[in-house]
Every structure is written in structure tokens, then in C-alpha cells.
Amino acid sequence: REDSSRMEYIAGALDGGIREARLVPFSALFNLFPRMVRDLARDRSKVVELEIAGGDAKADKRIIEEMKDPLMHLIRNSIDHGLETPEERERAGKPRAGKIRLSAFRTEANIVVEVADDGRGLDVEAIKKTAVKRKMLSEKELEATPPREIENLVFAHGFSTSAFVTDVSGRGIGLDVVRANVEALKGSVQAESKPGVSCVFRVKLPVTLTTARVLLVEAGGGAYAIPMEYVDAALRVAPGDVFHLEGKPAIAPEHRGAVWVAELSDVLGLPKDGEGARPPAAWRPCVILAVGEDKFGVFVDDLLDEQEVVLKVKSGVLKRVRNVSDATILADGEICSVLNPNDMLRTIRKQSATAGPPVGKKPEERKRSVLLVEDSITTRTQEKRILEGGGYEVVTAVNGVDALEKLSRRSFDAVVSDVIMPEMDGLALTTRIRGDKRNKDLPVILVTTLASDEDKKRGLEAGANAYIPKPSFDQKILLETLERLA
């Protein structure tokens, strides 16, 4: 017994030492940003002060390494879109210098990293218009959507409220990348804004990626693990306590307000009838989960245990499984899936969305058309191939005069044009398009070798929606920009 006790003590000490050795302070990451902020501020003609706090907070070495790009995107977003110019700040009664605060701190279950600025905040009305335009939500759904949820639409794929797209901003790529990278680290990201005052991007991350404290539950005859950092409460609910809120089942736990609920087996798509199915009971266990500011509940068959488990690396075949983040092996040798509450929240929202008309055979969608204006036959052939590969019908023109003649004969969904061309260049063409009532709202994308800020400004003044310099040309950027604008 003494030997066994001594071995257990040594193993515990080794385990603690190894975990501590994997932890790295955030200062190793934060120290990379002052120079980047200084350079970006100078390029954008802004005055920016960077304040850093909590550099001594520690997290897993991999988390520190993987958080570089998300934080870089958030800081760039604050400088590009959040902070006003010194003149605008003076008119608003603010100090000429904008402030960005980069901080990290440890909670009981998480590491929280925040990027906050004292700029103009998020434009909720612009977000609503973009959401309706991109058919993410209908106007009726927007009326019933809480402001906090609307603000977090900025993390959707390709979302951007910018009226002018360049090679580095306005394409909605940065914040989409932030959410994808953070969720790959089993974390979550939320936006919190006060119009005209401030904007805070809050990232919650686990301290380590090798182990996790989980709540084991049973659903559909199998065991599933829910990370404890997402568990707000576990309670018993009587059938009579469930009511419908906006057409969706909900409960109102004491001191927590109303939260929507769903069966965990339905969220995971488990078979309705199986060996593990249980007869209805007078009371049902329900786990309330919190993802950022959003809360929802899942009914389970039983609450089994709370454990600390070792997370197993998934194979390439199971690299991305909906509603599942990891797997672990329990003490009895059973393989158990570790659930992903971020995915579960999105699944519940999709499942509870208002049902549309019966699904029938959809009419074949019209192929969107693009007018490609380029005098170089080599570049024109290359861009035509890229656009056709993206599913567009492409009509070509050799200069602005040729383009106007083709625009007079038929309509297009977008124009992609070079700037330097004989007879009529791309800027003159864009100005003529904006002066035509029939085509004044036609998206125009300029793809050119002219890459200076002054050139981009001239493109904006001419009325272009996007400006992509050829030195940094990427076919993905072109197609994503077209997808957003056309």
C-alpha cells in the first residue's frame, strides 16, 4: 500500500510538472504586436496607442502559437474599421489618439483574451442590411433577433459591411478566419459594441488542449462528454415546465431567464428508436450550456459523472465532425465523443428555424454573368478561366469603349476591369457606369497593377466597389469578392 501510494504521488507530481512545462505566458505573443500596430497606424494615417495587460497569464504552447493570426486580424480590424481618423475623433469630442487594449486573464475554467478599442463601434443597421442582402436572415427574423446576436453576424463567412473592397480589407475574410481558428482551439469568440464609443472582441480559450474537465451524460443509449467550461447548470425539468417561446420549446430556470431547449439525441441526429431509448419520466435531466452570451438547454437521459479526461487526436478521416470536437477513452475502455457546444448551438438554430414550403424540384438557377474588361489577351484568358471555373458566364471586352457597347446590349451581374487600357481606361469606364441610371448599382471590381493607396483612393472616388492589386492577386480573393458583391 505504501509503494502504491508513493507511486501515485510521483505520477501526480510528474503529471503536474509536464502540464506546467507546456504553459507559456501570453507576453511571448503580445510582444509581437506593438510594431505591427505602429506600422498599420502610419499606413492608415491614424494615431493609435496600444495598451497591453495580462501578459503573465499562461496557456498551452500550441494555443499561444495558433492565436497569432486571429489576434492580428482583430487588431487590424480595429485599426482599419474601428478607430476613426484624428480629425473625426476631434469632431466627436474624443482624443486624437485612438486606443487599443490587448489583454489576457485567467478565469476558473478558461483563458480570456480581449481586443478592445474606443472607436466607432459596430454599425448594427449596416450589419442588418448586409444580412438581408446576403439572405442570411429575413427582415422578419431580424426583428426577433437580439442585438448581441446581430453583432456576432460579423463572424459569418464572407460577411462585410464595407462599401469598398481592397486586397486587405472589406472582404469579410478576417473575422471569419478568427472564428474558425478559435473554434479549432476549442474556444469561442464574441463581439460586444457600444455605437460611437467602443468595441470589444472577447475570445474564450481552454488553458490546455491535452486534457479537459467534462460532464458525462447519456443520450440514445451512449455516453457523451460535454466540456465543463460550457456547462452553466444541470437541473431536473418536469414536462409541465416546458413552454413554447416564438414557436420553439423553452424553459425558464430560476434566476436564468428563458432559454430554448432541445433533445440532445435530436441535435446529434441519433436514431429515435434504439436499445437505449427510455420510457418517458416525470422529470428529465437538462444541461444548460453557455456559449458566450448565448444559452441553451439539452435534455439527456441521465447525468453520469464529472471527470478529467485525456483528449485523443482525431485521424484525418474524422478531422471535422459536426457537433463533435474530440474523443476520449473512459476508464471502462469505452470510446466517448467530446461534444462541441459552438456547433450544437448552430445546429439547434438551424433545426428550430421556421419551416419553409414543401421541398420540391428547384428550378435551375440562372448562371450569373460577368463582363471582363482587359486589353491584355494573356491576362484576359487567365481571368476568364478563373471566373468560368467559379461558375460564372463570362463576356469579354478589350477596353472601356467596347465594354460600354456590350453593356448597352444586355445586363450583367458584375464588371471586372483593368485600369490601364487604350481608348478608355477602367476609371473612366467606372465613372460612366455610375452615371448610367440602368447600371448605377452594378458591382465594379478593378484588378490592376496600380497598388498605391492613392490609386485605391482614385478607384473609390470613381465608384468602384473593389480594388484588387495584381501584385497580390489571388483567384480566391477575386471569387470571394464577386460572391459578396454580385
Side-chain angles (χ1 to χ4, degrees):
R1 284 197 301 268
E2 287 178 0
D3 289 345
S4 178
S5 177
R6 177 67 176 166
M7 182 66 73
E8 189 175 326
Y9 172 79
I10 292 172
L14 280 171
D15 180 57
I18 290 170
R19 291 190 194 195
E20 187 64 28
R22 289 184 60 88
L23 300 182
V24 177
F26 268 92
S27 57
L29 175 60
F30 287 174
N31 291 338
L32 301 175
F33 295 114
R35 181 176 178 180
M36 186 195 85
V37 169
R38 187 170 63 250
D39 292 344
L40 277 174
R42 185 179 63 247
D43 292 343
R44 304 297 185 271
S45 301
K46 296 180 180 181
V47 182
V48 181
E49 295 177 357
L50 177 64
E51 179 184 335
I52 293 177
D56 55 346
K58 292 183 176 182
D60 191 289
K61 182 173 182 284
R62 185 186 152 205
I63 290 177
I64 299 292
E65 292 171 345
E66 298 290 335
M67 277 301 296
K68 179 183 175 182
D69 284 347
L71 288 180
M72 182 180 70
H73 281 300
L74 290 176
I75 292 172
R76 175 181 291 171
N77 188 79
S78 292
I79 296 174
D80 270 350
H81 309 298
L83 296 178
E84 310 93 334
T85 63
E87 294 74 22
E88 290 173 330
R89 292 180 65 83
E90 281 187 336
R91 287 195 293 270
K94 297 180 178 181
R96 284 179 62 84
K99 182 178 288 186
I100 295 177
R101 190 173 194 271
L102 177 60
S103 61
F105 58 91
R106 174 86 177 265
T107 66
E108 188 175 339
N110 299 96
I111 286 285
V112 180
V113 183
E114 292 184 348
V115 176
D117 66 67
D118 63 349
R120 57 175 63 93
L122 297 175
D123 188 339
V124 175
E125 290 305 314
I127 293 173
K128 286 181 178 179
K129 289 178 183 177
T130 304
V132 172
K133 181 181 177 182
R134 291 182 56 81
K135 299 179 181 177
M136 299 170 67
L137 292 171
S138 67
E139 292 186 5
K140 186 176 180 181
E141 288 172 327
L142 279 173
E143 291 176 6
T145 304
R148 182 64 54 81
E149 204 170 304
I150 292 173
E151 290 175 348
N152 284 288
L153 287 174
V154 296
F155 296 106
H157 175 68
F159 190 94
S160 178
T161 58
S162 176
F164 186 61
V165 185
T166 70
D167 55 316
V168 295
S169 67
R171 292 178 285 113
I173 294 176
L175 296 183
D176 174 33
V177 168
V178 169
R179 188 179 72 174
N181 288 9
V182 168
E183 290 186 357
L185 296 172
K186 306 175 185 64
S188 62
V189 58
Q190 298 278 322
E192 184 178 320
S193 172
K194 294 181 181 178
V197 179
S198 66
C199 183
V200 180
F201 292 101
R202 185 173 294 110
V203 179
K204 288 186 178 180
L205 297 161
V207 179
T208 178
L209 299 175
T210 55
T211 63
R213 195 79 188 167
V214 299
L215 174 65
L216 294 178
V217 301
E218 184 179 341
Y224 296 90
I226 302 174
M228 282 300 298
E229 61 260 33
Y230 292 97
V231 177
D232 185 65
L235 38 92
R236 293 194 305 164
V237 178
D241 292 337
V242 180
F243 59 95
H244 279 76
L245 178 65
E246 298 175 8
K248 308 166 191 173
I251 60 173
E254 190 177 357
H255 308 306
R256 285 184 173 84
V259 294
W260 284 311
V261 292
E263 293 283 344
L264 180 58
S265 56
D266 290 341
V267 176
L268 301 179
L270 302 177
K272 293 281 184 185
D273 300 314
E275 296 180 3
R278 294 188 175 192
W283 296 86
R284 294 288 311 281
C286 181
V287 182
I288 307 297
L289 301 176
V291 179
E293 298 297 323
D294 298 305
K295 292 186 179 180
F296 64 97
V298 288
F299 284 113
V300 298
D301 295 335
D302 200 3
L303 302 175
L304 302 177
D305 195 7
E306 182 183 335
Q307 292 183 8
E308 183 158 10
V309 297
V310 177
L311 303 176
K312 301 296 182 182
V313 179
K314 290 180 289 186
S315 71
V317 177
L318 301 176
K319 200 71 176 175
R320 182 73 177 92
V321 180
R322 186 164 56 91
N323 300 321
V324 174
S325 63
D326 290 287
T328 187
I329 300 176
L330 303 179
D332 60 1
E334 181 183 356
I335 296 175
C336 176
S337 296
V338 181
L339 302 182
N340 183 339
N342 289 287
D343 266 11
M344 291 166 63
L345 176 60
R346 285 193 283 272
T347 300
I348 289 175
R349 283 175 174 166
K350 287 179 182 177
Q351 290 177 345
S352 61
T354 305
V359 178
K361 186 177 180 181
K362 293 184 179 180
E364 189 175 339
E365 292 186 2
R366 179 184 69 86
K367 186 179 284 191
R368 288 173 294 178
S369 59
V370 174
L371 176 60
L372 174 61
V373 191
E374 172 63 64
D375 61 320
S376 167
I377 187 170
T378 304
T379 306
R380 188 165 65 240
T381 303
Q382 179 190 13
E383 292 181 357
K384 185 173 186 287
R385 190 179 299 118
I386 290 171
L387 294 171
E388 287 177 339
Y392 294 92
E393 175 197 354
V394 182
V395 175
T396 61
V398 296
N399 56 42
V401 175
D402 188 19
L404 288 176
E405 195 271 330
K406 287 181 167 64
L407 282 168
S408 67
R409 293 202 309 243
R410 59 165 291 184
S411 61
F412 293 90
D413 293 296
V415 173
V416 177
S417 175
D418 188 13
V419 171
I420 304 174
M421 295 181 294
E423 296 191 51
M424 180 185 292
D425 65 19
L427 296 179
L429 170 63
T430 304
T431 303
R432 291 282 295 272
I433 290 173
R434 291 291 169 256
D436 183 349
K437 290 183 179 179
R438 191 166 62 94
N439 293 317
K440 65 178 183 178
D441 296 322
L442 180 65
V444 178
I445 301 171
L446 298 178
V447 182
T448 175
T449 54
L450 303 176
S452 71
D453 289 340
E454 188 62 34
D455 293 322
K456 293 175 185 176
K457 184 179 178 182
R458 282 198 291 269
L460 174 60
E461 290 171 347
N465 299 87
Y467 196 101
I468 304 175
K470 287 180 182 176
S472 58
F473 180 79
D474 185 322
Q475 67 181 53
K476 184 180 178 184
I477 292 176
L478 176 60
L479 294 175
E480 285 179 341
T481 303
L482 264 175
E483 179 66 27
R484 186 173 81 80
L485 295 175

